[in-house]
Amino acid sequence: MQFIKPDTHIDFVGKRHIAYTITGIMIAISILSLLFHGGVEYGIDFAGGTMVQVRFAGTVSADAVKSGFTAAGLTNPMVQTIGDSAHREFLVRTDRPLKTDEQFSSELEKTLKAATGQDAEIRRIEMVGPQVGKDLREKALFAIYYSLLFIAVYVSGRFEFKWFQSAIIAAVLMGAVYGLEVLGIGMAYVVPVALVVTLVLFWYFDLRYAMGALISLIHDVIVVIGCFSLAGREWSVTTIAAILTIIGYSLNDTIIVYDRIRENLKKYRKLPFDAIINQSVNNTLSRTILTSGTTLVAVLALYFLGGSIINDFAFAMLVGIVTGTYSSIYVASPVLMAFQRIGKKR
């Protein structure tokens, strides 16, 4: 289905300086928000602790719920209302891991009834120990880093046929990351350094498509993290799953545009490179709008109707679809064009 006319020539490249400003503002706001909040806020998956979802027979106040949990031994509980405005269902988090068997649930229900005057039903209890949370954080960072790395390696081989250089980069970085891990350096420090080294190696080996794809993906991840920080949302295993999905989604968009650029480079050899990029983005515009639009509708349904359990996943996907579509046009392609110009001067 093609509803954009074939002779459409929107000047995307000509607006790239406006896009640079927008991109810079989004990244700056994301970084400032992270600095202001002291980094990302981890959920119990990564920080450890106990989370309880409880539903009452009637309306109760958050203060009464908090008193009930305190009486049950859950110190400093954070109480969050979920569902409708009737204030009958709550999500309560505490940083203290507890033994959560049937006896605990039964005693907790009795304590909450005494504190609120309403029958309580424990609908969900999750407990994660601090060491398990730390291990999950490390593995999540590993997953994000290696997904970015192998995707960039694939793009450089797929579009520039430099598989040997790509394999060298992958081997060197995997060895270096493994060595730093053995030395006990945390992944929170290893991953940013490894990404910078990856970009330097892409520059050295002149892997322009990989450079554009990787910078685009890093942009998407930073913006999603920033939006989570601004919204005060917690990071969990579900959120990491959303980030990995976004990376794949954004890369798919980028590859579609890159593929058309490569085709048009062979077809229109006398056209300047910026005109090739413009034409390629216009050629793929119908597909981009259809894919992003239909995906966005599905994710909006998840966000508004999916309930609290997948709300963070849906929120990350909403931001990721928008920023992934934007970056495939206004980050990946302009970066490729910039390095094409720099490459001619080298």
Side-chain angles (χ1 to χ4, degrees):
M1 181 177 178
Q2 187 174 33
F3 57 90
I4 301 292
K5 294 180 179 178
D7 58 347
T8 300
H9 292 289
I10 301 172
D11 186 13
F12 292 100
V13 172
K15 305 292 189 302
R16 67 184 184 280
H17 292 103
I18 299 174
Y20 292 159
T21 305
I22 295 172
T23 302
I25 291 173
M26 287 194 296
I27 292 177
I29 291 175
S30 299
I31 294 173
L32 287 174
S33 177
L34 287 171
L35 292 174
F36 180 77
H37 290 103
V40 297
E41 185 177 350
Y42 293 121
I44 65 165
D45 292 356
F46 296 142
T50 305
M51 181 172 67
V52 181
Q53 185 173 345
V54 57
R55 183 179 176 84
F56 293 92
T59 301
V60 298
S61 69
D63 288 339
V65 176
K66 189 172 182 179
S67 299
F69 274 88
T70 303
L74 280 81
T75 54
N76 299 320
M78 293 178 291
V79 181
Q80 176 188 353
T81 305
I82 59 176
D84 55 29
S85 58
H87 292 182
R88 295 173 56 189
E89 191 159 354
F90 298 85
L91 200 62
V92 183
R93 296 179 176 86
T94 176
D95 55 3
R96 181 183 168 192
L98 295 171
K99 184 180 180 182
T100 54
D101 51 16
E102 290 186 4
Q103 184 181 357
F104 172 80
S105 298
S106 177
E107 291 177 356
L108 182 58
E109 286 177 349
K110 291 177 183 175
T111 307
L112 289 172
K113 183 177 180 181
T116 62
Q118 297 286 345
D119 287 331
E121 178 194 357
I122 304 300
R123 311 193 77 181
R124 177 166 58 119
I125 297 182
E126 295 178 9
M127 190 280 288
V128 178
Q131 186 57 44
V132 174
K134 182 183 177 184
D135 291 345
L136 285 174
R137 286 203 305 271
E138 300 275 305
K139 289 177 180 177
L141 287 170
F142 259 124
I144 292 177
Y145 169 69
Y146 279 118
S147 63
L148 291 174
L149 173 62
F150 285 119
I151 282 170
V153 167
Y154 165 75
V155 171
S156 62
R158 168 81 167 74
F159 290 96
E160 299 176 275
F161 304 106
K162 295 180 179 178
W163 289 105
F164 182 68
Q165 291 94 327
S166 301
I168 292 175
I169 292 171
V172 168
L173 285 169
M174 288 174 65
V177 170
Y178 177 75
L180 291 171
E181 188 189 11
V182 170
L183 292 174
I185 299 176
M187 285 301 295
Y189 299 100
V190 172
V191 169
V193 173
L195 283 175
V196 171
V197 173
T198 305
L199 292 174
V200 171
L201 290 172
F202 284 159
W203 166 269
Y204 179 77
F205 286 115
D206 198 22
L207 300 173
R208 300 168 192 174
Y209 286 89
M211 180 79 82
L214 186 58
I215 290 176
S216 170
L217 295 176
I218 292 172
H219 162 273
D220 296 341
V221 173
I222 290 175
V223 172
V224 172
I225 292 173
C227 287
F228 257 72
S229 176
L230 286 171
R233 289 175 177 263
E234 294 181 344
W235 278 80
S236 64
V237 172
T238 306
T239 314
I240 296 301
I243 289 285
L244 294 175
T245 307
I246 291 164
I247 289 173
Y249 179 88
S250 176
L251 178 74
N252 188 46
D253 258 6
T254 303
I255 284 180
I256 295 292
V257 175
Y258 276 4
D259 210 29
R260 189 56 60 94
I261 290 173
R262 194 178 58 165
E263 287 177 11
N264 287 337
L265 277 172
K266 295 176 183 175
K267 197 183 295 183
Y268 308 104
R269 296 179 183 276
K270 294 183 180 178
L271 276 180
F273 194 66
D274 53 351
I276 293 283
I277 288 181
N278 245 344
Q279 183 159 348
S280 303
V281 175
N282 278 285
N283 290 157
T284 56
L285 200 55
S286 288
R287 179 261 170 206
T288 301
I289 294 173
L290 280 172
T291 306
S292 300
T294 52
T295 312
L296 200 60
V297 169
V299 176
L300 278 171
L302 281 178
Y303 180 76
F304 288 109
L305 306 173
S308 60
I309 294 177
I310 60 170
N311 192 260
D312 284 341
F313 178 87
F315 178 80
M317 288 298 298
L318 278 177
V319 177
I321 289 170
V322 174
T323 191
T325 305
Y326 167 84
S327 69
S328 65
I329 297 174
Y330 282 115
V331 177
S333 299
V335 167
L336 178 62
M337 189 175 71
F339 279 92
Q340 184 79 5
R341 289 178 176 173
I342 294 170
K344 288 181 179 178
K345 297 176 182 177
R346 290 171 66 183

